[in-house]
Each structure stands twice: as C-alpha cells, then as structure tokens.
Amino acid sequence: RSQLKTVTNRLAGRKLVERAKSVLQVDQGISEEGAYEHLRRLSRKRRITLAALAEEVVRERRGRDDPAEQSTSVSELPS
C-alpha cells in the first residue's frame, strides 16, 4: 500500500509540473524547456519541491481566472 501511495503522489506531482509548465508557456511565451528550467531554478532558490511550486503556479492561474480567489502572481514570485 505504501508503494502505491508513493507512486500515486509522484504521478500527481508530475501532472502538476506539466500543468505549471503549460501555464508559464502561455503566460510568459517561453518554451517548454524554458518553463521547466524556470520552475527548477525557482524551486531550488526557494528551497521547496518542484511539485509544491507547480501547485502554487497552477493555483495562482486559477485565481486569475476566478477573481474571487486571492493569491500571489507568478510574476511576483521571486526568481
């Protein structure tokens, strides 16, 4: 069971990273590789996991799509 949970969590994290890359590609007009490198660099600088950062990016995008939600803009995240 523990292995299944680990695999499931990793897959969920990878899906979040893919969504975050797409958000950055559209919003900032950068390539997939550029988006991934940006996420990696920022996650290292902030000392958080790539999945945690990706979740922030995706949540921020939802916040822009839904004015009722308040969050920090990706452009405001320190790079």
Side-chain angles (χ1 to χ4, degrees):
R1 280 186 188 244
S2 136
Q3 286 180 337
L4 178 60
K5 190 172 187 173
T6 299
V7 170
T8 302
N9 287 340
R10 285 184 183 171
L11 180 59
R14 287 181 184 169
K15 287 181 179 182
L16 273 171
V17 170
E18 289 300 318
R19 278 191 240 144
K21 286 193 310 187
S22 295
V23 166
L24 293 176
Q25 285 178 268
V26 170
D27 290 355
Q28 297 185 9
I30 57 178
S31 68
E32 181 179 2
E33 296 82 16
Y36 183 70
E37 286 304 315
H38 177 74
L39 289 169
R40 283 187 59 212
R41 188 172 41 254
L42 190 54
S43 73
R44 284 193 307 263
K45 185 173 184 175
R46 293 181 57 194
R47 294 185 176 150
I48 60 175
T49 66
L50 195 55
L53 178 61
E55 186 175 11
E56 287 182 27
V57 171
V58 171
R59 189 180 326 124
E60 189 276 333
R61 175 64 176 274
R62 284 190 204 133
R64 272 188 284 130
D65 292 344
D66 180 5
E69 283 191 40
Q70 298 292 320
S71 62
T72 303
S73 169
V74 173
S75 61
E76 294 173 11
L77 294 175
S79 54

